[in-house]
Amino acid sequence: MIYPDAGESVRVKEFPSISKLPLASELVSNEPPSEGEAQSQIGTNKVLVRLLDDIDKLHNTVVIAGCTPVLSLLARATERWHPQLRIHYRFAHSKAALSSLCRGEVHIAGMHLYDPKTGEHNIPFVREALTGKSAILITLGVWEEGLLVLPGNPMGVKTVSDLVEFGATIVTHEAGSGSRMLLERKLQEEGVPLHKVKGFDHIVHNHQDVALSVVSGMADAGISTASIAAAFGLGFIPLHRARYDLVIIKEYLEEEPVKQFLSILGHQLVRSQLEILGGYDISNIGEVVANIS
């Protein structure tokens, strides 16, 4: 897959036996149904809807679910270079984003799940979830995951078992998130029961809220990334290097808006912004790491 600089045409690797999805205009109508049409729908599994947005805008919208702030940055960059394009990004942890992709609610799902049995990131989870569908995984980068603590780490926390030994209070992400799974795995590896950790039932729903909980003193520690720690001026204790991938159903690769979004991944300005953000190894950004049929 080749990603050009802005202004160049994008070339996306061809995949055989891919048919375009039906356009929204083929499924819905802006015109209100007649009485006869309304009656004909009774007792069927069809639903009549009225669009609340312009059909051209819907054709030029890419919907992405994921949990990294980088996706928001990429969305704004894409819209600047392609003014007709609209990127709708919504926050969702890894398993929720993957489930949304399976249900056809998003074009792209971002995820950072690690399978300790295979030593692989994301691929086993996608294979299991996308039964009967084909997808590719494109890497966004590798980020450092670990514990956020106050500047200078005044409690002297070095491992997750120290959280119990020092009586630290933590905040956690919801079940199914990569950060929650990392914390649970590390606690299990160190033989620490989950219920022994103070605050394990205190759940927040994004990385910024983890940082704010530590900054405000509501918690002594929480799982997040090195880039979030740097952004909030917090201490950071690394635990794992996770690969963050974008999962895309192969059919969507034929859609021009999706091609336009993918085209910016190799742009030098985007790379520079991510390098300034810090905490990400983007040396392989845009690389296709898996082709799942």
Side-chain angles (χ1 to χ4, degrees):
M1 184 173 291
I2 301 174
Y3 301 103
D5 290 337
E8 297 181 6
S9 60
V10 58
R11 292 185 289 151
V12 179
K13 181 179 178 181
E14 296 293 335
F15 292 93
S17 304
I18 296 177
S19 60
K20 286 184 70 67
L21 297 178
L23 298 174
S25 56
E26 298 172 3
L27 302 177
V28 298
S29 171
N30 281 310
E31 298 299 322
S34 67
E35 182 177 348
E37 288 175 330
Q39 291 294 327
S40 68
Q41 303 301 317
I42 297 175
T44 74
N45 61 356
K46 296 182 179 180
V47 177
L48 292 174
V49 299
R50 176 179 291 187
L51 292 177
L52 299 179
D53 206 345
D54 183 82
I55 189 68
D56 290 331
K57 289 184 179 179
L58 293 176
H59 278 311
N60 288 294
T61 297
V62 177
V63 185
I64 305 173
C67 67
T68 173
V70 166
L71 290 175
S72 179
L73 183 152
L74 293 176
R76 302 293 77 80
T78 307
E79 290 175 341
R80 284 196 300 271
W81 286 320
H82 302 282
Q84 83 287 355
L85 188 63
R86 182 173 59 178
I87 307 294
H88 178 67
Y89 164 61
R90 65 182 182 85
F91 183 91
H93 64 70
S94 295
K95 283 193 174 181
L98 183 58
S99 295
S100 289
L101 185 70
C102 293
R103 294 193 296 267
E105 298 169 351
V106 301
H107 297 96
I108 300 172
M111 57 188 299
H112 60 112
L113 298 179
Y114 176 72
D115 178 22
K117 294 181 180 178
T118 62
E120 291 185 321
H121 286 93
N122 304 319
I123 297 171
F125 301 93
V126 176
R127 283 201 179 109
E128 181 180 359
L130 291 182
T131 305
K133 297 181 180 180
S134 298
I136 64 168
L137 279 72
I138 299 174
T139 190
L140 195 57
V142 176
W143 64 7
E144 289 275 3
E145 297 178 315
L147 288 169
L148 302 189
V149 295
L150 288 174
N153 189 13
M155 297 187 76
V157 173
K158 295 181 179 178
T159 66
V160 293
S161 59
D162 289 341
L163 297 172
V164 175
E165 183 178 347
F166 301 152
T169 299
I170 68 166
V171 290
T172 60
H173 295 258
E174 55 197 313
S177 68
S179 299
R180 173 68 169 256
M181 292 173 66
L182 170 61
L183 178 59
E184 291 176 348
R185 186 174 78 250
K186 290 297 181 180
L187 288 171
Q188 184 178 30
E189 288 175 359
E190 297 184 28
V192 180
L194 304 184
H195 69 273
K196 292 282 189 180
V197 183
K198 289 173 60 177
F200 196 81
D201 56 350
H202 181 190
I203 295 173
V204 296
H205 300 287
N206 59 60
H207 292 282
Q208 290 89 336
D209 284 348
V210 172
L212 289 172
S213 296
V214 176
V215 169
S216 66
M218 292 178 60
D220 299 308
I223 295 286
S224 190
T225 66
S227 60
I228 291 292
F232 285 84
L234 291 169
F236 182 74
I237 302 161
L239 297 175
H240 180 70
R241 284 174 55 85
R243 195 183 71 227
Y244 198 100
D245 294 333
L246 302 178
V247 188
I248 311 169
I249 302 296
K250 285 184 182 178
E251 291 171 284
Y252 298 156
L253 291 171
E254 290 193 339
E255 303 293 341
E256 191 62 29
V258 173
K259 292 180 183 180
Q260 290 173 342
F261 173 77
L262 295 178
S263 73
I264 71 158
L265 295 182
H267 195 280
Q268 185 56 47
L269 180 58
V270 170
R271 289 175 175 266
S272 298
Q273 290 176 326
L274 295 181
E275 288 169 355
I276 292 171
L277 185 62
Y280 291 84
D281 176 359
I282 58 168
S283 56
N284 293 323
I285 187 171
E287 177 182 326
V288 176
V289 293
N291 188 333
I292 297 176
S293 301

